[in-house]
Amino acid sequence: EPEVTQTPSHQVTQMGQEVILRCVPISNHLYFYWYRQILGQKVEFLVSFYNNEISEKSEIFDDQFSVERPDGSNFTLKIRSTKLEDSAMYFCASKVSGVSEQYFGPGTRLTVT
Amino acid sequence: AQSVTQLDSHVSVSEGTPVLLRCNYSSSYSPSLFWYVQHPNKGLQLLLKYTSAATLVKGINGFEAEFKKSETSFHLTKPSAHMSDAAEYFCVVSRDTGTASKLTFGTGTRLQVTL
């Protein structure tokens, strides 16, 4: 069964460094998402992406964040200058057109020190 | 605007007894509703979904949920709990079906299953 994959599973970085989180959505999916879950808190929407542009973003998704689909398979989330409060589990999700359910990857745990 | 409220942060049941995880939603639109499960150190797995078809929805692993518009509820049930059901369960709402609509998560209910 096809699934969303994410790399790395765990990333440790120093405050102020740039990080890129990578996702490979399910191959025939057209809508892509990033969510995050700070430890002990609920899962929060960051951004949705369709047809090579951002469809919607939350207030969390400020100028420090960017997304890109650099080729036909990868979907990346970049944080330009990480802060301690960016430490969280980041989930990538994807879906096909015409349905509402999204399929999630296993997540990348980002630790900013 | 849309939101979900999970009424219990933690539920503990004995193996073989029924499970009830409660969820109320608020939506300005006709919502799509979901339950996702997160096992320890794992990703989010879709358990079941409601998208304006049958109000009683069956999911994987014997779970069911009933959409009650009059009560704005979407409670998750299972007749008999198994040890492997121990996990975090999220009630989730989405605005509509065909666009890039985001998912809005509840705060989660941790289900503990004891012998």
Side-chain angles (χ1 to χ4, degrees):
Chain A
E1 185 176 329
E3 55 186 26
V4 178
T5 59
Q6 291 185 243
T7 54
S9 58
H10 190 192
Q11 172 102 40
V12 181
T13 189
Q14 288 190 326
M15 195 167 49
Q17 295 297 304
E18 175 183 286
V19 294
I20 297 176
L21 310 183
R22 290 183 168 79
C23 168
V24 179
I26 295 173
S27 63
N28 62 332
H29 288 193
L30 299 177
Y31 297 84
F32 313 114
Y33 306 81
W34 284 101
Y35 295 81
R36 78 173 186 189
Q37 184 181 29
I38 295 172
L39 188 64
Q41 298 184 24
K42 66 179 181 179
V43 178
E44 303 172 287
F45 167 77
L46 291 178
V47 65
S48 59
F49 190 85
Y50 170 71
N51 200 25
N52 282 319
E53 60 183 28
I54 291 174
S55 305
E56 185 178 0
K57 58 184 180 180
S58 71
E59 60 276 9
I60 303 167
F61 195 89
D62 61 22
D63 292 344
Q64 292 301 310
F65 291 87
S66 63
V67 289
E68 190 179 30
R69 187 155 164 82
D71 53 43
S73 60
N74 289 281
F75 180 52
T76 61
L77 174 69
K78 182 194 292 186
I79 309 175
R80 286 190 187 82
S81 178
T82 51
K83 306 170 189 168
L84 293 175
E85 54 265 38
D86 293 328
S87 294
M89 181 73 91
Y90 288 80
F91 292 105
C92 174
S94 67
K95 79 176 187 78
V96 295
S97 180
V99 301
S100 50
E101 64 268 27
Q102 298 174 20
Y103 293 88
F104 285 79
T108 293
R109 181 168 298 283
L110 176 65
T111 303
V112 182
T113 61
Chain B
Q2 55 194 31
S3 66
V4 287
T5 301
Q6 292 185 245
L7 298 162
D8 306 292
S9 59
H10 183 244
V11 169
S12 182
V13 301
S14 299
E15 191 176 33
T17 64
V19 176
L20 170 64
L21 305 184
R22 298 182 295 164
C23 172
N24 287 106
Y25 70 91
S26 172
S27 178
S28 305
Y29 304 85
S30 181
S32 293
L33 290 159
F34 312 87
W35 279 94
Y36 282 83
V37 61
Q38 184 179 30
H39 287 93
N41 300 313
K42 299 285 187 182
L44 294 154
Q45 181 184 18
L46 178 67
L47 263 185
L48 50 78
K49 63 176 181 178
Y50 165 78
T51 54
S52 75
T55 56
L56 181 62
V57 180
K58 294 186 185 297
I60 61 172
N61 300 333
F63 284 94
E64 293 183 348
E66 186 171 8
F67 174 74
K68 292 187 177 179
K69 187 175 181 178
S70 60
E71 299 176 10
T72 61
S73 69
F74 189 58
H75 301 334
L76 181 70
T77 61
K78 183 173 180 177
S80 176
H82 191 272
M83 294 296 289
S84 60
D85 295 328
E88 186 94 17
Y89 291 80
F90 293 96
C91 183
V92 179
V93 64
S94 176
R95 191 173 71 183
D96 53 29
T97 59
T99 67
S101 290
K102 65 183 181 184
L103 300 181
T104 300
F105 282 72
T107 51
T109 298
R110 182 163 299 279
L111 176 65
Q112 181 181 18
V113 182
T114 58
L115 288 171

